[in-house]
């Protein structure tokens, strides 16, 4: 899947951006760097303060075929009840649902500091007319969504149709106003560090406010190696342009130990500035209960 440029051709603006990037793309080196970070720093982050912080970074997610207005309203009620029952702790960052349920969450949510996130634009395959993707996103915003998660058009990426891929992201972003756009790279499909770097660059230059690892629906979910490459791209973009892009890990992150590993990578690569739920999220469902149980030392499952 890894793509190469013809050295006889003049690089276009996308190829030039890839060539100018200094982000490490040797997969073995990336794996070694992740291992080194965890070996040196995981212990210092394995504590209740970090567990509480991580809960406040969770996009509490339900993306099921069986979701309904009733089930999504009940899901939202759990977040309301958490706020009532545990006011001493910060809540999750957002509730994440399919785009057609934004209005349901908006009507049921009683907590002001929890955002409404939706998966839109023909999630998870991203296979639809651009007009369909734009309308779906616009309707979700109208219904109350604060944030929108979309998947890059993998067909465009594999065909090296970078102009079309970037135009699509930019067009969806344009319909959202100031609302945050999270662009999902589907790293389990991209596989290599080189591809993950290129998809990160394309997404950030096209208007992504966050770049996100995976849907958790079709391909392998988040990996620490993908997170490392994406965070390095975010760091490089910030150094060049002074713009902070958020990072979201999703797909298969279920345990406190897993979450602490992602926290450690983000902290070591991007630094303290990114340790806020404005710039760091984890998309999950069961993880929220695992984190709560870890910092309260109970078996209670509020979510």
């Amino acid at each position: 899947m890894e793509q190469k440029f013809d050295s006889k051709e003049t690089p276009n603006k996308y190829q030039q951006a890839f060539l100018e990037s200094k982000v490490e793309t040797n997969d073995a080196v990336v794996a070694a760097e992740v291992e080194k970070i965890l070996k040196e720093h995981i212990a210092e982050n394995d504590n209740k303060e970090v567990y509480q912080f991580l809960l406040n970074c969770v996009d509490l997610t339900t993306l099921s075929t069986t979701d309904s207005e009733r089930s999504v309203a009940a899901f939202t009620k759990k977040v309301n009840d958490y706020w009532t029952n545990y006011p001493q702790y910060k809540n999750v960052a957002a509730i994440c649902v399919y785009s057609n349920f934004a209005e349901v969450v908006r009507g049921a949510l009683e907590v002001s500091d929890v955002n409404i996130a939706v998966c839109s634009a023909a999630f998870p395959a991203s296979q639809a007319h651009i007009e369909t993707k734009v309308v779906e996103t616009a309707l979700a915003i109208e219904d109350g969504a604060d944030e929108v998660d979309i998947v890059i058009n993998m067909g465009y990426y594999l065909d090296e149709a970078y102009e079309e891929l970037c135009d699509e992201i930019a067009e969806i972003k344009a319909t959202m106003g100031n609302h945050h756009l999270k662009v999902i790279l589907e790293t389990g499909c991209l596989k290599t560090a080189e591809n993950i770097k290129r998809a990160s660059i394309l997404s950030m230059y096209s208007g992504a406010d966050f770049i996100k690892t995976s849907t958790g629906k079709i391909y392998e979910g988040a990996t620490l190696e993908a997170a490392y490459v994406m965070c390095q791209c975010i760091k490089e973009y910030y150094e060049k342009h002074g713009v902070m892009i958020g990072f979201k890990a999703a797909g298969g992150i279920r345990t406190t130990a897993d979450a602490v590993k992602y926290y450690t990578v983000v902290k070591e690569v991007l630094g303290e500035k990114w340790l806020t739920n404005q710039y760091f999220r984890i998309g999950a469902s069961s993880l929220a209960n695992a984190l709560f149980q870890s910092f309260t030392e109970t078996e209670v499952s509020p979510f």
Side-chain angles (χ1 to χ4, degrees):
M1 186 183 297
E2 186 172 335
Q3 300 155 6
K4 300 182 183 299
F5 300 132
D6 186 339
S7 60
K8 297 178 181 178
E9 295 178 356
T10 302
N12 61 32
K13 62 182 179 181
Y14 306 107
Q15 295 167 334
Q16 191 64 43
F18 302 154
L19 292 170
E20 289 176 358
S21 173
K22 304 303 181 185
V23 170
E24 179 61 63
T25 57
N26 181 297
D27 292 296
V29 173
V30 168
E33 286 298 314
V34 170
E35 184 178 1
K36 181 174 184 287
I37 286 172
L38 296 181
K39 182 178 180 180
E40 294 180 356
H41 299 285
I42 193 71
E44 69 198 51
N45 300 321
D46 193 13
N47 58 70
K48 292 181 181 179
E49 183 179 355
V50 170
Y51 307 158
Q52 289 186 48
F53 167 77
L54 285 167
L55 179 63
N56 190 227
C57 294
V58 168
D59 283 359
L60 191 67
T61 303
T62 179
L63 296 169
S64 171
T65 303
T66 58
D67 286 344
S68 67
E69 290 188 7
R70 181 180 298 176
S71 70
V72 170
F75 188 74
T76 305
K77 184 177 183 298
K78 292 180 180 180
V79 173
N80 295 335
D81 291 344
Y82 183 84
W83 173 59
T84 301
N85 296 331
Y86 305 102
Q88 69 272 39
Y89 303 128
K90 290 184 178 180
N91 215 318
V92 295
I95 296 173
C96 185
V97 296
Y98 282 115
S99 61
N100 52 307
F101 293 116
E103 189 172 19
V104 175
V105 179
R106 177 60 68 198
L109 186 62
E110 299 171 356
V111 186
S112 60
D113 59 349
V114 175
N115 283 349
I116 300 171
V118 300
C119 290
S120 183
F123 176 93
S126 192
Q127 296 290 1
H129 293 97
I130 180 58
E131 294 85 356
T132 301
K133 295 180 180 183
V134 168
V135 169
E136 181 186 359
T137 302
L139 288 172
I141 295 295
E142 184 178 326
D143 286 346
D146 302 301
E147 308 169 0
V148 174
D149 294 30
I150 69 168
V151 184
I152 67 167
N153 190 313
M154 194 62 66
Y156 283 153
Y157 180 82
L158 296 177
D159 285 351
E160 298 186 26
Y162 301 135
E163 187 86 28
E164 290 84 352
L165 186 154
C166 292
D167 284 351
E168 187 168 280
I169 294 171
E171 191 167 347
I172 293 170
K173 174 61 180 176
T175 197
M176 293 174 53
N178 294 325
H179 298 80
H180 276 184
L181 175 65
K182 305 192 199 90
V183 177
I184 305 167
L185 308 186
E186 202 66 293
T187 55
C189 179
L190 294 171
K191 297 185 183 302
T192 68
E194 179 65 35
N195 279 320
I196 293 167
K197 180 187 83 169
R198 294 183 183 193
S200 297
I201 290 170
L202 294 170
S203 299
M204 290 188 294
Y205 277 92
S206 301
D209 299 294
F210 271 75
I211 51 176
K212 174 180 170 183
T213 58
S214 321
T215 65
K217 292 292 184 182
I218 302 175
Y219 299 94
E220 179 187 10
T223 67
L224 292 164
E225 291 75 20
Y228 176 84
V229 174
M230 291 167 68
C231 287
Q232 290 285 358
C233 290
I234 290 169
K235 180 180 180 180
E236 184 177 73
Y237 189 86
Y238 176 68
E239 290 171 348
K240 286 184 177 180
H241 304 287
V243 177
M244 291 177 68
I245 304 296
F247 168 76
K248 179 176 175 179
I253 305 171
R254 298 181 178 88
T255 70
T256 297
D258 288 339
V260 171
K261 290 176 183 177
Y262 284 94
Y263 172 93
T264 301
V265 169
V266 170
K267 181 180 178 183
E268 294 308 312
V269 175
L270 290 172
E272 298 283 345
K273 288 179 70 172
W274 267 262
L275 296 182
T276 162
N277 68 14
Q278 286 186 286
Y279 297 105
F280 177 39
R281 297 284 181 85
I282 300 178
S285 52
S286 59
L287 175 64
N289 284 325
L291 290 166
F292 180 83
Q293 291 165 2
S294 293
F295 67 73
T296 59
E297 298 183 338
T298 69
E299 294 184 0
V300 176
S301 299
F303 300 105

